[in-house]
Amino acid sequence: MSATTPAQHSDQPGRIMSGEMAEQPAVLRRILDEGAPRIRETAERIAARNPRFVLLTARGTSDNAALYAKYLLEVVLGKPCGLTSMSTTTAYGAKQDLTDVLVITVSQSGGSPDLVASTQAAREAGAITLAVTNNPGSPLAAVSEFHIDVLAGPENALPATKTYTAELLALYLFVEGLRGGDGAAAKALPELAQQILDRQDEVKQLAGRYRFAERMVITSRGYGYPTAKEAALKLMETSYIPALSYSGADLLHGPLAMVDNISPVIAIVTEGKGGEALQPVLERLRGRGADLVVIGTQAEVDKASAGFALPTDGVAEEVQPILEILPLQMLAYEVTIARGQDPDAPRALAKVTETR
């Protein structure tokens, strides 16, 4: 985000962010009902081109959605994937051979100059370019060969919430389309999302643990790792608490030393292989006496200091991130309100970030 536009405060702090979080079940239904056929058609057209590998380009919240897509593409399709460094093109003017490479650019607004310039350069270098945005009339959509509209509707709060989950679902359906799948694992998501959002009081109680926090650590593995990064971003941009996100594996390679019995740690324990891989990390955290809060199954929550149990029984691991982020969005909102700040208008930020 940019420091060029002043924040606009509403009469009710957090009213806009709260309203947009509440829209998410309806947005997910809209994507499944209206967007899925077009996403499948786009995926089929790209699959026919047989891209040799995939590059993902994004900033901020959309970068976390792109990381989720990287896991999907590598695990589900076995396609080599990378996250691009836009400055290699926009600042250094590097020329690449991207013949038969799929370049996916994810952006809520589709307006950042570096995203547009790097996508244009990728297309000129021979890439198959796909823009995933909430704005089909954006400059990014215009320079891309293909476009997916995430159908989230206008988003006015500075912290992105509904566009993030919309991007996740659109990317999941796109990857499903690439492999000829039907996306059935996503059908239950709108109802489950509503069940989670209806538990606001639980999150408000949990937020009391972090009102005076000076630092937080958020960790996960596998499909949950993008959730950890997005949760940290939401907490930092709304409440201004320094929130450090780590893959569980990386946490053990040094940063674990900063964790003690007064350090709040949030662990996103995805039900599946990612959660299994996180178990040694959870054991180490408990051994250090960390104030450990778990977002995951009831069994995992019961072993922690506190937590939020997710309704993920029978939900495929690859779509659980769409549910995992919801209580963490609410947590960022509630912590910010508890600290006397307005999550609708974080200081020094603007809705459209114009990086170059």
Side-chain angles (χ1 to χ4, degrees), residues 20-166:
E20 290 177 350
M21 287 192 295
E23 290 179 37
Q24 289 176 103
V27 172
L28 297 176
R29 288 191 191 94
R30 188 183 308 135
I31 296 168
L32 291 171
D33 293 343
E34 301 174 21
R38 292 193 291 272
I39 293 172
R40 187 179 305 113
E41 179 185 354
T42 298
E44 289 171 353
R45 292 175 64 190
I46 291 175
R49 303 267 289 272
N50 193 27
R52 53 194 173 102
F53 61 86
V54 183
L55 293 174
L56 293 139
T57 303
R59 295 283 193 202
T61 283
S62 294
D63 196 35
N64 299 326
L67 179 58
Y68 165 75
K70 183 176 187 292
Y71 275 93
L72 279 175
L73 288 157
E74 291 180 342
V75 175
V76 175
L77 289 187
K79 285 282 185 185
C81 277
L83 299 175
T84 63
S85 301
M86 279 173 278
S87 61
T88 60
T89 300
T90 60
Y92 291 94
K95 303 295 183 182
Q96 301 171 322
D97 180 4
L98 298 179
T99 306
D100 299 327
V101 173
L102 172 59
V103 173
I104 304 173
T105 307
V106 188
S107 170
Q108 180 267 327
S109 69
S112 186
D114 56 353
L115 294 169
V116 175
S118 63
T119 301
Q120 179 68 53
R123 189 169 183 180
E124 292 171 357
I128 306 162
T129 52
L130 168 66
V132 179
T133 82
N134 193 40
N135 184 2
S138 65
L140 178 61
V143 301
S144 300
E145 184 177 358
F146 297 96
H147 177 257
I148 289 174
D149 184 354
V150 303
L151 299 174
E155 188 173 59
N156 297 310
L158 287 178
T161 54
K162 64 178 182 175
T163 52
Y164 179 68
T165 49

Side-chain angles (χ1 to χ4, degrees), residues 214-227:
E214 296 182 359
R215 181 190 67 209
M216 293 173 64
V217 173
I218 308 177
T219 188
S220 190
R221 289 204 68 180
Y223 286 113
Y225 179 43
T227 307

Side-chain angles (χ1 to χ4, degrees), residues 217-220 265-269 278 282 285 292-296:
V217 173
I218 308 177
T219 188
S220 190
V265 179
I266 297 176
I268 297 107
V269 188
L278 193 63
L282 298 175
L285 289 168
L292 178 62
V293 169
V294 163
I295 308 298

